[in-house]
Amino acid sequence: DLAGHDTYMHKEICEQADAVDRVLRGRIEDRFSTVHLGGLNLDAREARAVRRVKILGCGTSYHAGMIGAQLIEELARVPADAEPASEFRYRNPVVDPDTLYVAVSQSGETYDVLAAVQELKRKGARVLGVVNVVGSAIARETDGGIYVHAGPEVCVVSTKCFTNTVVAFGLLALHLGRIRDLSVADGRRVIEGLRRLPDQIAEMLRGEDAIRTLAKEYAHARSMMFIGRVRGYPVAREAALKLKEVSYIHAEAYPASELKHGPLALIEPEVPTVAIVPDDELLEKNRAALEEIKAREGRILAVAHRRQDKADHTIVVPRSEPELDPILMGIPLQLLAYHTALELGRDIDKPRNLAKSVTVE
Ligand code: M6R
């Protein structure tokens, strides 16, 4: 049921305020400025013994895991990283008993993720799942985890599940943080930030008309660059993937600092750049990258907390807690990919060559 939308992609983008509300519902414990995650099956002593977190997923879920790893490092101060599940499987990884492994998947059926889970279990590791589809193979094979509660996602291209997965990682990071060194005040600050998200998402979605206009402006690009730093980098990667999948425009994502190490050679008027520029401690560094692009006559679309004078256009997003910026900054770029694909007459819900869940190797 499309409920008045022209595609599932559009419907699912527009459902995100409600979806985020669902992933938060019943999980916040204000009294202790923490969260309660019923299905985690990891008691406080076990959680405190975790020395490292390794997140495994594919495609968009891998990108959500990259942000998840940053959230866990920032809020819980536990070293964490994300890796594509297939790469992990094929490099005969060292499986460490003090590492908490987390498998991320919308469908819960992605073969590479499932096979990584099975391999880890064979080697005695503890594996949690961050999964959307209840009762799916990965949900069943993991020792516990968090359901993402995004609701059914029909479009091949993942949108609302990405956002909800990142929020679910925010909850996990908060939980791990609050049984370690995260203060009550910081716990409360992040909780308040999470609570504001649904309204802020709704506010951004009301700005869709402006993004439709921008999509017309950029739809005929030969290729597009997406850049960001630290928190902005996974956002850039996910936005580039979204654009590729639905519009078939070639897109590359780089950490902004890597531009001058090679990709700057590609910059010209026909190759615009989308830059993720939050008002955080890296703002000045990001501005320098915008100057480098302008000096090569590159067009720039910034996603920022305020208008960027070096950019040709800025999509202004609401301010959040800095750790949560990636959640809000991703959303207008989903709309940009959608409207670009619409402008180019693409088959939005079923892009060529792609399947909703990849259950083969
Ligand atoms: O169901 P999963 O989250 O495990 O799927 C992983 C990827 O196949 C998926 O995210 C894919 O990249 C989507 N087409 C992204 O839009």
mmCIF file of all heavy atoms in Angstrom, residues 2 43 77 82 85 116 126 133 152 156 164 189 191 206 215 241 244 252 275 348 361:
data_model
loop_
_atom_site.group_PDB
_atom_site.id
_atom_site.type_symbol
_atom_site.label_atom_id
_atom_site.label_comp_id
_atom_site.label_asym_id
_atom_site.label_seq_id
_atom_site.Cartn_x
_atom_site.Cartn_y
_atom_site.Cartn_z
ATOM 1 N N LEU A 2 0.757 2.017 -1.045
ATOM 2 C CA LEU A 2 1.641 3.184 -1.194
ATOM 3 C C LEU A 2 1.144 4.417 -0.423
ATOM 4 O O LEU A 2 1.858 5.426 -0.339
ATOM 5 C CB LEU A 2 1.783 3.541 -2.669
ATOM 6 C CG LEU A 2 2.764 2.653 -3.451
ATOM 7 C CD1 LEU A 2 2.593 2.857 -4.957
ATOM 8 C CD2 LEU A 2 4.198 2.971 -3.053
ATOM 9 N N ASP A 43 24.688 -9.219 30.334
ATOM 10 C CA ASP A 43 24.493 -8.545 31.624
ATOM 11 C C ASP A 43 25.593 -7.492 31.829
ATOM 12 O O ASP A 43 26.550 -7.411 31.060
ATOM 13 C CB ASP A 43 24.377 -9.545 32.782
ATOM 14 C CG ASP A 43 25.669 -10.311 33.040
ATOM 15 O OD1 ASP A 43 26.758 -9.751 32.772
ATOM 16 O OD2 ASP A 43 25.608 -11.468 33.500
ATOM 17 N N ARG A 77 33.635 4.903 24.872
ATOM 18 C CA ARG A 77 35.107 4.859 24.861
ATOM 19 C C ARG A 77 35.617 3.416 24.760
ATOM 20 O O ARG A 77 36.614 3.060 25.392
ATOM 21 C CB ARG A 77 35.712 5.563 26.097
ATOM 22 C CG ARG A 77 35.331 7.013 26.275
ATOM 23 C CD ARG A 77 35.585 7.907 25.095
ATOM 24 N NE ARG A 77 36.991 8.107 24.766
ATOM 25 C CZ ARG A 77 37.431 8.450 23.542
ATOM 26 N NH1 ARG A 77 36.576 8.601 22.544
ATOM 27 N NH2 ARG A 77 38.693 8.628 23.322
ATOM 28 N N ALA A 82 33.861 -0.954 11.963
ATOM 29 C CA ALA A 82 32.934 -1.710 11.131
ATOM 30 C C ALA A 82 33.690 -2.223 9.915
ATOM 31 O O ALA A 82 34.654 -1.584 9.456
ATOM 32 C CB ALA A 82 31.775 -0.828 10.695
ATOM 33 N N ALA A 85 31.013 -7.516 5.857
ATOM 34 C CA ALA A 85 30.984 -8.884 6.391
ATOM 35 C C ALA A 85 31.778 -9.848 5.509
ATOM 36 O O ALA A 85 32.444 -10.763 6.016
ATOM 37 C CB ALA A 85 29.535 -9.338 6.518
ATOM 38 N N ALA A 116 29.164 -14.956 8.239
ATOM 39 C CA ALA A 116 30.133 -14.406 9.210
ATOM 40 C C ALA A 116 29.678 -14.736 10.627
ATOM 41 O O ALA A 116 30.484 -15.125 11.479
ATOM 42 C CB ALA A 116 30.270 -12.895 9.020
ATOM 43 N N ARG A 126 30.949 -14.074 20.953
ATOM 44 C CA ARG A 126 29.603 -13.601 21.273
ATOM 45 C C ARG A 126 29.171 -12.630 20.173
ATOM 46 O O ARG A 126 29.891 -11.673 19.868
ATOM 47 C CB ARG A 126 29.594 -12.889 22.616
ATOM 48 C CG ARG A 126 28.186 -12.431 22.991
ATOM 49 C CD ARG A 126 28.191 -11.671 24.271
ATOM 50 N NE ARG A 126 28.290 -12.547 25.413
ATOM 51 C CZ ARG A 126 27.221 -13.005 26.089
ATOM 52 N NH1 ARG A 126 26.016 -12.692 25.713
ATOM 53 N NH2 ARG A 126 27.388 -13.767 27.143
ATOM 54 N N VAL A 133 14.132 -7.265 10.448
ATOM 55 C CA VAL A 133 13.066 -8.269 10.283
ATOM 56 C C VAL A 133 13.082 -9.254 11.456
ATOM 57 O O VAL A 133 14.049 -9.998 11.658
ATOM 58 C CB VAL A 133 13.187 -8.994 8.929
ATOM 59 C CG1 VAL A 133 12.106 -10.075 8.808
ATOM 60 C CG2 VAL A 133 13.060 -8.000 7.780
ATOM 61 N N PRO A 152 8.161 -2.646 7.802
ATOM 62 C CA PRO A 152 8.537 -3.279 6.526
ATOM 63 C C PRO A 152 9.172 -2.270 5.562
ATOM 64 O O PRO A 152 8.668 -1.160 5.405
ATOM 65 C CB PRO A 152 7.204 -3.781 5.947
ATOM 66 C CG PRO A 152 6.199 -3.618 7.009
ATOM 67 C CD PRO A 152 6.729 -2.719 8.081
ATOM 68 N N VAL A 156 13.894 -1.512 -2.796
ATOM 69 C CA VAL A 156 15.196 -2.198 -2.788
ATOM 70 C C VAL A 156 16.248 -1.332 -2.096
ATOM 71 O O VAL A 156 17.153 -1.823 -1.428
ATOM 72 C CB VAL A 156 15.601 -2.544 -4.245
ATOM 73 C CG1 VAL A 156 17.075 -2.905 -4.334
ATOM 74 C CG2 VAL A 156 14.727 -3.686 -4.767
ATOM 75 N N ASN A 164 17.001 4.179 11.279
ATOM 76 C CA ASN A 164 16.672 3.489 12.530
ATOM 77 C C ASN A 164 17.828 2.656 13.054
ATOM 78 O O ASN A 164 18.015 2.523 14.255
ATOM 79 C CB ASN A 164 15.437 2.606 12.330
ATOM 80 C CG ASN A 164 14.175 3.342 12.733
ATOM 81 O OD1 ASN A 164 14.073 4.534 12.473
ATOM 82 N ND2 ASN A 164 13.242 2.658 13.371
ATOM 83 N N ARG A 189 22.008 14.361 28.025
ATOM 84 C CA ARG A 189 22.150 15.201 26.825
ATOM 85 C C ARG A 189 21.864 14.381 25.555
ATOM 86 O O ARG A 189 21.111 14.806 24.669
ATOM 87 C CB ARG A 189 23.582 15.761 26.805
ATOM 88 C CG ARG A 189 23.950 16.593 25.616
ATOM 89 C CD ARG A 189 25.377 17.098 25.701
ATOM 90 N NE ARG A 189 26.392 16.039 25.612
ATOM 91 C CZ ARG A 189 26.741 15.401 24.499
ATOM 92 N NH1 ARG A 189 26.156 15.709 23.349
ATOM 93 N NH2 ARG A 189 27.667 14.451 24.513
ATOM 94 N N ILE A 191 20.211 11.524 25.376
ATOM 95 C CA ILE A 191 18.801 11.097 25.376
ATOM 96 C C ILE A 191 17.907 12.223 24.870
ATOM 97 O O ILE A 191 17.018 12.001 24.039
ATOM 98 C CB ILE A 191 18.381 10.637 26.800
ATOM 99 C CG1 ILE A 191 19.004 9.271 27.088
ATOM 100 C CG2 ILE A 191 16.857 10.587 26.937
ATOM 101 C CD1 ILE A 191 18.807 8.764 28.508
ATOM 102 N N ARG A 206 9.690 18.570 5.570
ATOM 103 C CA ARG A 206 8.860 19.664 5.042
ATOM 104 C C ARG A 206 9.641 20.531 4.059
ATOM 105 O O ARG A 206 9.062 21.290 3.295
ATOM 106 C CB ARG A 206 8.296 20.508 6.200
ATOM 107 C CG ARG A 206 7.159 19.804 6.946
ATOM 108 C CD ARG A 206 6.394 20.759 7.856
ATOM 109 N NE ARG A 206 7.147 21.157 9.025
ATOM 110 C CZ ARG A 206 7.206 20.461 10.179
ATOM 111 N NH1 ARG A 206 6.526 19.346 10.301
ATOM 112 N NH2 ARG A 206 7.931 20.884 11.198
ATOM 113 N N ALA A 215 17.705 18.905 -6.998
ATOM 114 C CA ALA A 215 17.915 17.664 -7.751
ATOM 115 C C ALA A 215 17.896 17.967 -9.254
ATOM 116 O O ALA A 215 18.692 17.427 -10.025
ATOM 117 C CB ALA A 215 16.849 16.635 -7.394
ATOM 118 N N LEU A 241 26.177 6.016 -2.219
ATOM 119 C CA LEU A 241 25.572 4.720 -2.571
ATOM 120 C C LEU A 241 24.112 4.913 -3.000
ATOM 121 O O LEU A 241 23.671 4.349 -4.006
ATOM 122 C CB LEU A 241 25.656 3.760 -1.369
ATOM 123 C CG LEU A 241 24.985 2.396 -1.560
ATOM 124 C CD1 LEU A 241 25.664 1.579 -2.660
ATOM 125 C CD2 LEU A 241 24.982 1.586 -0.268
ATOM 126 N N LYS A 244 23.946 6.403 -6.500
ATOM 127 C CA LYS A 244 24.307 5.394 -7.507
ATOM 128 C C LYS A 244 23.156 4.424 -7.737
ATOM 129 O O LYS A 244 22.795 4.126 -8.864
ATOM 130 C CB LYS A 244 25.499 4.544 -7.014
ATOM 131 C CG LYS A 244 26.829 5.203 -7.144
ATOM 132 C CD LYS A 244 27.923 4.240 -6.729
ATOM 133 C CE LYS A 244 28.320 4.460 -5.312
ATOM 134 N NZ LYS A 244 29.714 4.265 -4.975
ATOM 135 N N GLU A 252 31.342 9.046 -5.993
ATOM 136 C CA GLU A 252 32.449 8.571 -5.152
ATOM 137 C C GLU A 252 32.388 9.286 -3.821
ATOM 138 O O GLU A 252 32.054 10.466 -3.767
ATOM 139 C CB GLU A 252 33.788 8.927 -5.797
ATOM 140 C CG GLU A 252 33.995 8.276 -7.121
ATOM 141 C CD GLU A 252 35.432 7.829 -7.294
ATOM 142 O OE1 GLU A 252 36.089 7.516 -6.282
ATOM 143 O OE2 GLU A 252 35.878 7.813 -8.439
ATOM 144 N N ALA A 275 29.087 18.184 0.052
ATOM 145 C CA ALA A 275 29.970 18.232 1.224
ATOM 146 C C ALA A 275 29.153 18.243 2.511
ATOM 147 O O ALA A 275 28.218 19.025 2.652
ATOM 148 C CB ALA A 275 30.849 19.479 1.165
ATOM 149 N N ILE A 348 12.555 3.528 -9.644
ATOM 150 C CA ILE A 348 13.072 3.847 -8.311
ATOM 151 C C ILE A 348 12.999 2.686 -7.313
ATOM 152 O O ILE A 348 13.965 2.408 -6.603
ATOM 153 C CB ILE A 348 12.367 5.104 -7.768
ATOM 154 C CG1 ILE A 348 12.810 6.309 -8.609
ATOM 155 C CG2 ILE A 348 12.655 5.327 -6.276
ATOM 156 C CD1 ILE A 348 12.205 7.623 -8.233
ATOM 157 N N GLU A 361 26.091 -15.767 -2.279
ATOM 158 C CA GLU A 361 27.418 -15.180 -2.113
ATOM 159 C C GLU A 361 27.750 -14.239 -3.248
ATOM 160 O O GLU A 361 27.379 -14.491 -4.384
ATOM 161 C CB GLU A 361 28.456 -16.284 -2.046
ATOM 162 C CG GLU A 361 29.298 -16.127 -0.811
ATOM 163 C CD GLU A 361 30.405 -17.136 -0.756
ATOM 164 O OE1 GLU A 361 30.088 -18.329 -0.778
ATOM 165 O OE2 GLU A 361 31.565 -16.717 -0.707
#
